């Protein structure tokens, strides 16, 4: 009995020492990266100044969008719950794992590090609780790797004006309707931020979409990476412009679901969402 208790105590002590050592390594690493080096989260992490004619010195920003649920009002404003998928490299956050007990990544609130100033160009709101507001104030942890890679996937709401350059004319609210979500940097041109597709997917990611979403995606066009030039400037401006069609799945009438698409059709659609879904373009 006594021997068993001693063995248990030794194991507990060893586990405690291991956890404490790991915590000490993380604390030491964070001190070295942020405190001792004078890390400035408001400064873009470019090794060299932006080139005047190419994106050779630009930071590659991978952006993707996972849809969770969506709804559409008669004015053509799409409300959506999403996970923004993003990744980039910050050379100031590199370290040698061997100097920190083999530690090769850590989690930290995104408010502590630099992140790109992404915004929705066709947003329908900019106030409290909007995409911009939540994006800038978000405390969701980012994962930082020893290579300097940063992975950040915050849950964010958004409201967008579908096809804002067109007058929305809906003859039948149950018919498919076109929409787009255009995301890019608010201030940086393509010589500073080179926009790329997260996991090389230029489509909305739909595999996590809830089956209780009032609207569903019936098709999407792909080729979301967009480059635009303005008359004033020679620099390109990049964004991820997701173009897709949505259709009402059901409406709530007298407290009950009234299906526009049959439950069987919806099940088939959600099965297709488990792979890259384009639908009938």
């Amino acid at each position: 009995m006594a021997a068993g208790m001693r063995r248990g105590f030794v194991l507990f002590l060893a586990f405690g020492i291991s956890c404490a050592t790991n915590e000490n390594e993380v604390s030491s690493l964070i001190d070295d990266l942020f405190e001792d080096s004078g890390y400035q989260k408001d400064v873009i992490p470019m090794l060299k100044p932006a080139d005047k004619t190419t994106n050779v010195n630009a930071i590659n920003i991978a952006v993707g969008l996972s849809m969770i649920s969506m709804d559409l009002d008669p004015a053509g404003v799409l409300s959506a719950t999403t996970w923004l998928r993003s990744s980039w490299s910050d050379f100031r956050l590199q370290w040698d794992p061997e100097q920190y007990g083999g530690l090769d990544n850590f989690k930290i609130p995104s408010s502590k590090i630099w992140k790109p100033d992404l915004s929705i160009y066709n947003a329908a709101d900019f106030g409290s609780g909007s995409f911009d507001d939540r994006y800038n104030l978000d405390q969701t942890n980012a994962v930082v790797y020893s290579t300097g890679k940063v992975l950040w996937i915050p849950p964010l709401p958004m409201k967008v004006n579908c096809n804002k350059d067109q007058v929305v004319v809906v003859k039948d609210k149950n018919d498919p309707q076109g929409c787009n979500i255009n995301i890019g940097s608010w201030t940086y041109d393509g010589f500073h931020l080179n926009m790329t597709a997260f996991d090389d997917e230029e489509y909305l990611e739909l595999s996590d979409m809830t089956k209780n979403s009032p609207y569903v995606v019936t098709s999407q066009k792909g080729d979301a990476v967009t480059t635009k030039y303005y008359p004033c400037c020679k620099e390109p401006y990049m964004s991820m412009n997701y173009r897709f069609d949505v259709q009402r799945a059901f409406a709530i009438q007298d407290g009950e679901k009234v299906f526009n698409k049959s439950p069987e059709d919806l099940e088939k659609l959600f099965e297709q969402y488990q792979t890259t879904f384009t639908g009938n373009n």
Side-chain angles (χ1 to χ4, degrees):
M1 182 72 169
M5 291 180 65
R6 284 197 298 270
R7 284 196 296 271
F9 177 75
V10 170
L11 289 172
F12 175 79
L13 182 62
F15 177 75
I17 292 174
S18 175
C19 290
T21 301
N22 185 59
E23 289 178 0
N24 289 338
E25 297 291 4
V26 174
S27 298
S28 177
L29 174 59
I30 289 178
D31 283 343
D32 290 344
L33 291 178
F34 293 92
E35 301 297 332
D36 297 344
S37 66
Y39 183 88
Q40 296 182 11
K41 67 176 184 177
D42 296 323
V43 177
I44 185 172
M46 297 181 68
L47 278 167
K48 298 179 181 179
D51 188 78
K52 295 184 182 300
T53 57
T54 70
N55 65 355
V56 64
N57 295 331
I59 300 175
N60 292 321
I61 306 293
V63 175
L65 197 60
S66 293
M67 303 300 294
I68 307 303
S69 66
M70 59 175 62
D71 202 353
L72 184 69
D73 71 17
V77 174
L78 182 81
S79 302
T81 302
T82 71
W83 295 344
L84 178 69
R85 303 185 297 165
S86 60
S87 179
W88 62 90
S89 289
D90 188 333
F91 72 93
R92 301 168 298 180
L93 299 178
Q94 295 177 338
W95 72 90
D96 181 358
E98 293 185 0
Q99 296 182 9
Y100 298 91
L103 184 68
D104 61 4
N105 74 83
F106 65 89
K107 286 79 174 175
I108 191 168
S110 62
S111 59
K112 303 292 186 182
I113 61 174
W114 179 88
K115 56 189 180 186
D117 61 337
L118 298 181
S119 187
I120 298 177
Y121 295 159
N122 60 324
D125 67 339
F126 291 94
S128 177
S130 66
F131 177 92
D132 274 17
D133 181 59
R134 292 282 296 275
Y135 181 92
N136 291 318
L137 298 178
D138 191 84
Q139 294 286 330
T140 304
N141 278 351
V143 184
V144 180
Y145 297 90
S146 60
T147 59
K149 176 183 176 181
V150 178
L151 177 65
W152 185 46
I153 307 179
L156 294 170
M158 62 177 62
K159 289 185 178 181
V160 300
N161 289 304
C162 291
N163 302 310
K164 69 182 185 68
D165 295 327
Q166 303 175 11
V167 176
V168 177
V169 178
V170 180
K171 295 181 179 180
D172 187 340
K173 60 184 179 182
N174 292 321
D175 287 342
Q177 300 178 44
C179 194
N180 75 301
I181 301 172
N182 197 7
I183 303 175
S185 169
W186 194 248
T187 60
Y188 289 111
D189 57 60
F191 294 161
H192 289 81
L193 297 185
N194 180 47
M195 196 80 70
T196 64
F198 193 94
D199 284 345
D200 295 323
E201 289 286 343
E202 295 191 46
Y203 298 89
L204 293 174
E205 210 286 318
L206 303 173
S207 63
D208 291 305
M209 195 165 178
T210 174
K211 294 182 179 181
N212 290 304
S213 175
Y215 274 75
V216 291
V217 176
T218 56
S219 68
Q220 50 180 333
K221 298 183 182 302
D223 298 325
V225 178
T226 304
T227 302
K228 187 173 183 178
Y229 291 86
Y230 294 92
C232 67
C233 316
K234 61 183 179 181
E235 300 87 2
Y237 287 83
M238 304 186 69
S239 66
M240 299 295 293
N241 190 17
Y242 300 99
R243 296 166 295 163
F244 53 95
D245 289 334
V246 299
Q247 187 176 16
R248 184 193 294 274
F250 63 85
I252 302 296
Q253 296 181 8
D254 298 325
E256 296 184 356
K257 281 184 179 180
V258 177
F259 286 95
N260 180 54
K261 297 178 73 68
S262 71
E264 293 77 17
D265 287 342
L266 288 173
E267 284 293 340
K268 292 178 181 178
L269 187 62
F270 280 98
E271 287 179 9
Q272 295 178 63
Y273 285 173
Q274 300 310 304
T275 58
T276 300
F277 175 79
T278 58
N280 298 315
N281 294 306

